[in-house]
Amino acid sequence: MKALRTVILAIIFVLLFVFVYFFEIKPSKEKKLIEERESKVLFWRPESVKTVEIDNAFGKTTIVKDSTGNWQIISPITYLADQGVMNSLVQTLYDSKWVKTIMDSAMNLDEYGLNPPSLTIKIKLANDSTYMLQLGDPVPTGNNYYAISSHSKGLRLIQDNIYNQFNKSLTEFRDKRIIDIYAGEVQKFTIKRKDATLEVYKDSTGIWRIGSPIKDKANDEYVSRLLSDLTSARAQKFVAEDTSGFAKYGFTSPLAYVNLWTIGGKQKTLILGNQVADNKELYHVYNPEMLPVFAVQKSMIEAILKPVDDFRSRKLFEITSPERIEIQGDTVSLAMVKLNNKWKIVKPETLLADESKVSMLISDITGSIVDSFLKFDRKKVSDKRFIRFFGPDTAKSEHLFLGNKKDETHAYAQLSGRDEIFLVPARILDYTGRGASYFIERKIFPIRTDEIATIELADSDGVVYKLVSSPEKQWSLVSPKNIRIEDLKELTDLLSQFKNLQFYTKRALDKPKSEYGLEKPSITIAIGTTSAERVEVKIGKEKGPYYYAYVEKQPYIYEVSSNVVNNIRKWFKEVIKPR
């Protein structure tokens, strides 16, 4: 009995659901769909539109979507349409909604400017069904137009953006590209002009190079910008639909022929003609594949006709991360190599190099721009003054010979293998007068702060204070136990003093250490690194503005600033306190 009651209740529930769905939910959905359809100017999805016919103040234009999905103008001319413009027009039409209904039927069309209409748009869909929208006069107040459509009976208002976007000349609907490739496809181009033929190509490593009239690295930035501007250039106007009267556009004796080759071997050609008679800011251009005579901006023509030197690289070296550097000057002969990611002087003696000064040299060379290319003159350069960079493969090097200064800001220079000279910033010449004394690392502790793992300081009584850094860079004093650090934050001041501890002079340790006060040093500093290196320095007697200093395992005596040493001693007095 209980089971039968459950079955009866289930049947009642299903019947109620069917009733609600067919008499409440479904009609409500259909009503909303009808209301949405009625509110939209064009209900069909944009991708279903295959033909757009526009009849406006400029005439009638018919545009169709071909089998490849591209919009093509078929009347009044045959030409590729601007894909972006056409897609935007159809999308705008689809997104638009009626503003309001004025009346259910439009009887007197003359009164609203609809006989004839000011704009007619006919749409044909993929299923061959059609749709027509006609706009009349603008409403005296507001931003709307009177309109009627083939799928609504009444007179309605529509926003003026429809009129504004569709009431354009044929030129606005045309594809205005003057060449149909992208900059990234170009592998080679030539510019044949009256003075020379310039050839620029991309080598196997992707670097732009000039093949003629000279052989050189190309100015990558200039070439890339030129190709980008050229392939994205748009016709400012269509001067003629054919080239009858070829001579009057300057094409019989053109300014230049531009040929471009793509990755796939396609070739594209542009012929640059003369100025447009009534607009000196425009030039005639012809693309044999596209037939019309274009007018393009003067600035693009000027960029193509720049002197060959403008296409050349202005950088001195291609090697931007050298592994070895050689400097030769009138009194200087220096060599530095990069070992374990650190620079070392290896000639005239083995010394640690100042990383910041070596980096400045590299930056000056790789960042400098050639000012002017000049005819070769042996008197203006010297093979005894040069800077040479070696790459990771030491067989590859670049050699910059330097001459005298032309003036306060520029010096003459020549690259090995070149039969020309040029001007470079005068500061580069200055490096040939700087020897090891300039590049030597003068820091007593040439260690980065984040590499320091332990600090040991011993005073004149021999008490050793040891500080240890945790992996999280938290410092603690581990000995002696009866001492505490007043404020560990002050440790940053101590670390900065270590960084400032530089020597001003050094010489061979040719006397007993006792003569420099090193048998009982005023302070001993030992730094341990995260890579288990250890640098120990003893500070001896004070000599005027300097202290003598000795670095363990080095055969030198240094003179370091008294101020820095005294600041380190002062730090102990103020921060370290008995418990």
Side-chain angles (χ1 to χ4, degrees), residues 12 15 76 158-159 161 174 244 310 315 321 347 357 365 379 404 419 422 444 470 477 508 520:
I12 293 172
L15 291 173
I158 195 171
Q159 288 185 334
N161 66 320
R174 295 178 72 167
S244 55
D310 284 28
K315 294 180 180 179
S321 299
K347 180 184 177 182
K357 289 182 178 177
I365 295 290
K379 295 177 183 178
N404 298 321
D419 58 356
F422 44 83
I444 297 295
S470 70
L477 181 69
K520 189 178 180 183

Side-chain angles (χ1 to χ4, degrees), residues 11-224:
I11 293 171
I12 293 172
F13 175 79
V14 170
L15 291 173
L16 285 172
F17 176 78
V18 170
F19 177 83
V20 170
Y21 177 79
F22 282 100
F23 291 94
E24 296 290 339
I25 297 175
K26 189 176 180 182
S28 176
K29 283 184 177 180
E30 290 175 349
K31 183 180 178 182
K32 284 182 180 179
L33 193 62
I34 292 169
E35 287 176 353
E36 182 183 357
R37 184 174 184 137
E38 284 294 318
S39 70
K40 292 181 71 66
V41 173
L42 179 68
F43 183 77
W44 296 277
R45 300 289 303 179
E47 55 268 23
S48 66
V49 177
K50 297 301 178 184
T51 303
V52 178
E53 185 180 296
I54 303 165
D55 191 354
N56 59 25
F58 298 94
K60 187 181 292 185
T61 304
T62 304
I63 305 151
V64 300
K65 188 180 286 185
D66 65 19
S67 58
T68 65
N70 287 323
W71 290 101
Q72 300 278 350
I73 299 171
I74 60 170
S75 177
I77 62 169
T78 301
Y79 203 76
L80 185 66
D82 187 311
Q83 306 304 303
V85 167
M86 288 308 302
N87 289 332
S88 177
L89 288 180
V90 176
Q91 188 65 46
T92 297
L93 204 57
Y94 175 75
D95 291 339
S96 296
K97 293 187 177 182
W98 299 110
V99 176
K100 65 184 292 188
T101 301
I102 301 298
M103 56 183 70
D104 291 334
S105 62
M107 302 300 293
N108 189 0
L109 297 179
D110 292 344
E111 184 178 345
Y112 301 102
L114 286 158
N115 190 23
S118 59
L119 172 67
T120 299
I121 304 167
K122 292 181 180 178
I123 300 293
K124 187 174 183 179
L125 306 176
N127 62 5
D128 289 334
S129 60
T130 59
Y131 172 83
M132 183 170 69
L133 173 68
Q134 293 180 309
L135 275 65
D137 290 336
V139 177
T141 58
N143 300 315
N144 303 313
Y145 274 76
Y146 295 110
I148 56 175
S149 80
S150 58
H151 283 60
S152 62
K153 298 178 181 178
L155 176 69
R156 298 187 175 188
L157 294 186
I158 195 171
Q159 288 185 334
D160 62 1
N161 66 320
I162 297 292
Y163 183 86
N164 296 335
Q165 290 195 44
F166 281 84
N167 189 45
K168 293 178 178 178
S169 67
L170 172 64
T171 298
E172 296 298 317
F173 299 118
R174 295 178 72 167
D175 183 3
K176 298 171 193 63
R177 290 179 298 169
I178 64 171
I179 195 165
D180 59 343
I181 55 175
Y182 300 104
E185 297 179 84
V186 180
Q187 290 293 292
K188 172 186 170 182
F189 66 90
T190 61
I191 301 173
K192 183 180 179 181
R193 49 204 200 189
K194 294 171 184 177
D195 62 332
T197 296
L198 174 70
E199 178 190 351
V200 183
Y201 65 95
K202 191 177 284 187
D203 70 13
S204 58
T205 64
I207 305 256
W208 284 106
R209 297 190 179 276
I210 298 174
S212 67
I214 57 170
K215 295 189 182 300
D216 197 2
K217 296 174 289 183
N219 184 331
D220 186 76
E221 184 180 344
Y222 187 84
V223 169
S224 297

Side-chain angles (χ1 to χ4, degrees), residues 266-371:
K266 289 190 295 184
Q267 181 181 344
K268 302 290 180 178
T269 300
L270 290 176
I271 304 174
L272 311 187
N274 55 22
Q275 284 183 318
V276 175
D278 59 352
N279 188 339
K280 299 300 182 183
E281 293 302 310
L282 300 178
Y283 273 75
H284 295 115
V285 171
Y286 176 58
N287 181 336
E289 290 185 347
M290 293 185 170
L291 298 181
V293 176
F294 304 111
V296 301
Q297 290 286 358
K298 174 184 177 181
S299 57
M300 193 195 81
I301 303 299
E302 290 176 335
I304 293 171
L305 299 179
K306 287 278 190 183
V308 172
D309 282 351
D310 284 28
F311 288 83
R312 299 178 65 179
S313 173
R314 299 280 169 161
K315 294 180 180 179
L316 290 176
F317 286 171
E318 286 188 46
I319 298 173
T320 56
S321 299
E323 296 293 316
R324 179 183 174 92
I325 299 171
E326 293 179 358
I327 300 174
Q328 185 71 43
D330 296 333
T331 59
V332 168
S333 186
L334 176 72
M336 297 181 287
V337 296
K338 197 172 189 180
L339 297 170
N340 299 322
N341 215 32
K342 289 188 177 180
W343 281 99
K344 290 187 178 179
I345 299 168
V346 293
K347 180 184 177 182
E349 57 182 320
T350 302
L351 300 163
L352 195 62
D354 186 321
E355 297 286 330
S356 63
K357 289 182 178 177
V358 178
S359 295
M360 180 62 72
L361 165 66
I362 295 171
S363 177
D364 270 345
I365 295 290
T366 59
S368 289
I369 302 299
V370 172
D371 188 285

